Amino acid sequence: MTAYGTPPHIARCPGPSTADIIARDGDNAPKHLMEETWVDLGSEDINFDRYTSQAFFDDEVENMWKRVWQWACREEDVPEPGDYFVYDVVDHSVLIVRDDAGQLHAYPNACLHRGTQLKPSNSCGSSKELRCPFHGISWKLDGQLGAFPCSWDFPHVDKQQWNLPELKLDTWGGFIWINFDQNAAPLQDYLDILPEHFKQWDLSKRFVAKHIRKRLPANWKACVEAFLESWHVLETHPQGIATVGDANSQYDVYGKHISRFVHLVGFPSPHIDRDMSEQDMLDALFGEGMVDELGDDKADKMRVPDGSTARETFAKHLQKTLGEAYERDFSHLSITETIDAIEYFVFPNTCIFPSLLFPMVYRFRPEGRNPDVSIFDLIFLQPNPESGVIPDPAEPIDLDVHDSFSQANVLDPGLALIYDQDTGNLEAQQRGFKSSFKKGQTLGNYQEVRIRHLHHSVDQYLDNQ
Ligand code: FES
Ligand SMILES: [Fe+2]
């Protein structure tokens, strides 16, 4: 597969690498951010019917969605005994409950009598018991059978054993994870290097400051993949090309479930063919205005000090302004942890960004059994204030397929535009999958390795590996 160019293990965009730039920052960046772990997963085309076929989708449901760890909600969604949260995925519904002893449980959201959902889909709230709305049979929060009207008619039911069955449940990073597979390996094993890499980014000490939930017109994998590479910045987000090292981004793959990119901010794209001074760069960064708290008046006066860089000046400014806004001290953070887009993917459907400027979490779920429609949860995890008074998690704001992210009224206009651009390609892509005379898509070996890795992992589940 190397007949037409440089072999994939050495073919990289010319110019300094991500690791070079982080090293140039000269601060205490986590070492793992400079360690590259690209792997060669081949160069075969990825068939389009993986995105469109109902049979392939159904195979994914049976052999993948029912066997993977997936986060259902945040711990702060169910802080007190009696709190519950309903997580829906594909056509399954799961009831997350905190019992009187503070223990978390995940129950199939279905009555043992005639199957009625114990709590409505997409709901949350607080309840002393889990009482079926049809005939009133109840279960205690810990899953034991409670009140049973007309139990005389059920001599064939062993009341001692008629407890709600449980799914596997665990927590990490303030997220509550569930798994339908009773034989699933522990979550910690599944997450591979993630807990180690996130030692300095404790997501359990952050809260959901913004939450947008948008329907997207494409297969769940296409939706994830729109966010796994930064090559598309050049064409899809041309307004950002001066301030991001798009084609110099670093892509890493770890085991079966985790991949990562490190996308530099404050360093010009290799596609820029004019010289940019550090001051030009800083001006361009402030011009993007992705963070409300930056303030235009401050930006006007900001200069890169002698011997410093745009990255350092921008990072220090951000640590100060966001530190004041969030009531936290961020001066210990390295430049890359402050401003770069560092994205970890957790198979099959979650992206987690730990940096200060980009504190997002993405989750993509199929809508029911429809291979053509997905649901995108976009969450901003803001560090808890040091005062200890933590705001309640933000309620999700629902957007439909053709709504703009700006309609949620919680994003800066520059960021809303970026998400509109990212998701704006999906309908055309899903239609193109069905129209193509070519059987599948042809991926770049380096910049799109995370997409190939996702398919590789899907196949391992479908092949029962
Ligand atoms: S279906 Fe639940 S009590 Fe009858
Ligand atoms: Fe994008």
Side-chain angles (χ1 to χ4, degrees):
M1 301 304 290
T2 60
Y4 309 108
T6 317
H9 68 284
I10 50 172
R12 299 289 180 273
C13 183
S17 69
T18 294
D20 291 338
I21 299 303
I22 297 176
R24 189 194 71 160
D25 290 339
D27 55 11
N28 274 336
K31 293 234 170 344
H32 62 73
L33 287 177
M34 289 177 274
E35 289 164 3
E36 299 184 37
T37 56
W38 179 82
V39 292
D40 187 350
L41 294 173
S43 303
E44 297 301 314
D45 280 1
I46 306 284
N47 282 0
F48 289 135
D49 62 8
R50 299 169 69 91
Y51 300 87
T52 58
S53 148
Q54 190 68 50
F56 190 85
F57 182 92
D58 291 345
D59 198 4
E60 287 176 337
V61 173
E62 289 311 311
N63 292 303
M64 193 212 80
W65 285 103
K66 290 185 180 174
R67 293 171 53 213
V68 292
W69 283 99
Q70 48 201 291
W71 69 271
C73 60
R74 294 276 300 167
E75 289 190 65
E76 63 261 35
D77 287 319
V78 284
E80 303 293 337
D83 289 347
Y84 67 87
F85 187 101
V86 177
Y87 169 65
D88 301 292
V89 60
V90 195
D91 43 14
H92 291 270
S93 186
V94 180
L95 181 53
I96 314 286
V97 177
R98 193 179 289 277
D99 72 17
D100 289 324
Q103 283 294 111
L104 289 164
H105 303 266
Y107 306 115
N109 188 15
C111 177
L112 299 191
H113 176 216
R114 281 165 60 187
T116 308
Q117 286 192 335
L118 295 170
K119 300 290 181 190
S121 277
N122 260 325
S123 68
C124 59
S126 185
S127 211
K128 286 193 166 54
E129 59 183 3
L130 306 173
R131 183 186 183 120
C132 179
F134 199 168
H135 307 92
I137 299 177
S138 306
W139 283 266
K140 296 174 186 164
L141 300 174
D142 65 3
Q144 290 184 53
L145 182 62
F148 194 156
C150 296
S151 61
W152 54 265
D153 212 8
F154 294 81
H156 45 296
V157 169
D158 179 351
K159 318 289 186 303
Q160 301 302 317
Q161 302 294 322
W162 231 42
N163 304 328
L164 293 177
E166 293 201 39
L167 280 70
K168 282 196 168 244
L169 179 149
D170 204 346
T171 59
W172 176 79
F175 296 95
I176 295 173
W177 304 72
I178 58 108
N179 197 317
F180 292 92
D181 180 1
Q182 297 298 319
N183 299 315
L187 175 65
Q188 287 288 319
D189 296 351
Y190 187 95
L191 294 178
D192 205 295
I193 49 84
L194 207 66
E196 179 66 27
H197 282 207
F198 274 69
K199 265 186 179 159
Q200 67 276 53
W201 306 316
D202 188 352
L203 302 182
S204 69
K205 295 198 169 61
R206 301 186 187 190
F207 70 96
V208 178
K210 300 172 188 174
H211 185 173
I212 297 172
R213 193 166 52 195
K214 192 179 197 296
R215 295 179 74 234
L216 298 179
N219 182 267
W220 68 272
K221 295 187 294 298
C223 297
V224 176
E225 291 160 12
F227 297 92
L228 292 185
E229 46 83 11
S230 43
W231 177 23
H232 69 271
V233 171
L234 179 64
E235 189 65 26
T236 297
H237 312 297
Q239 76 278 18
I241 203 71
T243 56
V244 293
D246 54 349
N248 289 101
S249 293
Q250 177 178 317
Y251 298 90
D252 300 300
V253 168
Y254 307 92
K256 188 171 167 185
H257 301 128
I258 310 293
S259 69
R260 174 180 79 177
F261 74 39
V262 185
H263 183 191
L264 294 172
V265 170
F267 194 80
S269 162
H271 298 295
I272 293 269
D273 55 6
R274 60 190 158 88
D275 283 343
M276 284 189 78
S277 69
E278 293 293 332
Q279 187 61 49
D280 292 341
M281 174 57 70
L282 189 66
D283 294 344
L285 281 168
F286 280 117
E288 279 187 17
M290 287 198 292
V291 182
D292 296 333
E293 291 82 355
L294 288 174
D296 289 341
D297 53 333
K298 289 178 191 160
D300 286 343
K301 295 173 201 140
M302 190 62 55
R303 292 285 172 267
V304 180
D306 284 348
S308 185
T309 61
R311 279 172 61 78
E312 183 178 46
T313 311
F314 187 56
K316 295 287 175 225
H317 181 71
L318 210 59
Q319 288 169 6
K320 186 165 171 297
T321 49
L322 291 184
E324 286 164 8
Y326 298 170
E327 300 173 42
R328 289 283 298 259
D329 178 9
F330 296 120
S331 58
H332 62 286
L333 290 176
S334 62
I335 294 171
T336 183
E337 293 169 286
T338 305
I339 63 172
D340 288 335
I342 303 166
E343 182 201 72
Y344 284 78
F345 173 63
V346 183
F347 182 84
N349 67 340
T350 296
C351 297
I352 303 175
F353 292 72
S355 83
L356 186 59
L357 181 57
F358 299 103
M360 298 89 71
V361 176
Y362 306 155
R363 178 176 63 189
F364 303 90
R365 292 171 285 168
E367 186 178 70
R369 289 249 172 188
N370 190 345
D372 294 331
V373 182
S374 305
I375 301 164
F376 173 24
D377 286 283
L378 167 59
I379 283 170
F380 287 72
L381 279 185
Q382 187 171 310
N384 292 344
E386 252 146 31
S387 64
V389 182
I390 301 161
D392 289 337
E395 296 277 327
I397 300 164
D398 283 304
L399 298 177
D400 212 336
V401 166
H402 292 113
D403 292 338
S404 163
F405 280 87
S406 62
Q407 290 172 242
N409 285 324
V410 292
L411 297 184
D412 178 90
L415 202 50
L417 173 64
I418 289 173
Y419 285 113
D420 283 344
Q421 290 169 329
D422 280 322
T423 55
N425 289 327
L426 290 168
E427 193 161 21
Q429 197 182 9
Q430 188 73 14
R431 287 187 177 176
F433 291 155
K434 298 177 183 178
S435 309
S436 178
F437 272 25
K438 184 163 163 282
K439 214 171 155 205
Q441 59 185 343
T442 305
L443 298 177
N445 291 318
Y446 183 64
Q447 295 180 99
E448 292 174 323
V449 69
R450 301 172 78 208
I451 296 173
R452 187 177 298 285
H453 179 247
L454 187 157
H455 286 271
H456 218 252
S457 300
V458 168
D459 284 344
Q460 286 184 65
Y461 277 92
L462 301 196
D463 295 344
N464 278 311
Q465 291 174 31

